Structure formats: structure tokens, C-alpha cells
Amino acid sequence: NFELLAAVDPDMIVTFGGDDSTTYDQASAIAPTVAVPVDVNDWKTSARSIGETMGRSDEMEAELARYDARVADLRDRLGDAIDTEVSIVRSFGDSIRLHTRFHFAGQVVDDVGLDEAVRTLREHPLFPTLRVADDDALFVVDPLAWQQGGLPAANLILDDLERTLLPS
């Protein structure tokens, strides 16, 4: 929403992909705008592109190293739970979308070493057909972190995995 974007009076706007000149032109009318290439199959490459664009590559590398260390720690603490089979599921009206390793959240779950976390609505008409309905193993998470991308969202996903898979 460009009206909301203009209302916050940003110093700079970072767009992703750069393929849509209309979006770029509208953003540029609000503030200086930089188009950053995005690799939807590898969010870390995109994060590095953002760091480079912002002139903060070293800081981004340090943040990614902290993320990697957190992933390694979580893997160690999971113990036998590392073998937990998980599915990332989102509902859209009458359909259900499965997220895989080709989606951002699937990449984070894959980093941890799990077999693919669950997000759906119990009321969805297709929910009873999922095995999780019988196993009572549904964990509802904040969908914004799981469907977005980037380092802050990746850390929120790790928070959710710790909260749901590790004993208190």
C-alpha cells in the first residue's frame, strides 16, 4: 500500500526482485529506492544481497553466523525430537497449501534438520483428512513469520520450533 508507505516517510525503500518497473517507479516517488535481487530458493543469498545493498555486508554476515550457531544449538538440544516429521500447512479459503523446502519456512525447518511445522485452521474442511488431526499434534504459529522471509522471520520460526518441540 503506497499510501501507507508514504505516510511513514521512509528514508529509503528496498524493493525485491526489481522486475516490476511500475512498483519501482511508485516507490521511487516516495523515497530513494533500491531494487535488491531475490533468490526465493535461498533466503540467505537474498539476505546477503540486502546487506551488500545497504553497505552492511559484515553486519549481515555476523547476523547469519549467529543464526547458524542458533540452528546448531537447537539441533543439539532437540535430541531424539530431531526425527519428528513436520508439515508446514497454510489454509487459503477452500484450499490448503503445503510448504516445502522450496519455501522460506521450509528452508528454515530444513536448516534445523527436521523432516519438513504446521499452520492451519482446525475448522478448514480439509483438516480432518490430515494425519495431524488424529495425532493431536497441531501447533499454531504466527503466520507472518512463517510466510515471509528474512533473518528476523527465520529467528521467529526458531522460537516457535523451540517452544513446540522442546520440553519446558
Side-chain angles (χ1 to χ4, degrees):
N1 183 321
F2 289 101
E3 290 175 5
L4 291 176
L5 183 61
V8 298
D9 193 28
D11 293 325
M12 180 161 89
I13 299 171
V14 178
T15 66
F16 300 99
D19 295 336
D20 185 352
S21 62
T22 304
T23 299
Y24 184 87
D25 291 344
Q26 288 177 300
S28 295
I30 297 169
T33 302
V34 178
V36 176
V38 172
D39 183 343
V40 295
N41 294 313
D42 182 0
W43 69 269
K44 292 177 189 176
T45 296
S46 296
R48 286 183 175 97
S49 294
I50 293 168
E52 184 177 329
T53 299
M54 303 299 291
R56 301 177 102 171
S57 293
D58 291 344
E59 291 172 56
M60 182 60 78
E61 287 302 326
E63 289 298 321
L64 288 169
R66 277 191 278 284
Y67 167 83
D68 288 339
R70 187 172 177 203
V71 165
D73 175 66
L74 179 56
R75 279 178 176 237
D76 289 343
R77 290 186 297 133
L78 281 172
D80 290 341
I82 198 75
D83 295 326
T84 302
E85 181 182 335
V86 298
S87 298
I88 303 167
V89 182
R90 292 179 56 209
S91 64
F92 290 95
D94 291 338
S95 63
I96 287 181
R97 178 181 291 173
L98 297 174
H99 285 237
T100 68
R101 288 177 175 93
F102 297 106
H103 297 90
F104 165 70
Q107 293 170 26
V108 175
V109 169
D110 192 46
D111 284 347
V112 175
L114 295 166
D115 281 334
E116 286 271 334
V118 178
R119 166 66 173 132
T120 192
L121 302 174
R122 291 181 192 267
E123 297 82 30
H124 194 283
L126 295 176
F127 178 71
T129 68
L130 301 174
R131 189 172 65 201
V132 70
D134 294 331
D135 295 345
D136 194 30
L138 174 69
F139 299 101
V140 177
V141 296
D142 178 359
L144 289 178
W146 287 75
Q147 69 189 15
Q148 298 302 316
L151 196 51
N155 278 301
L156 290 172
I157 291 172
L158 294 180
D159 291 344
D160 286 337
L161 292 173
E162 287 175 337
R163 186 174 38 260
T164 58
L165 297 176
L166 292 174
S168 300

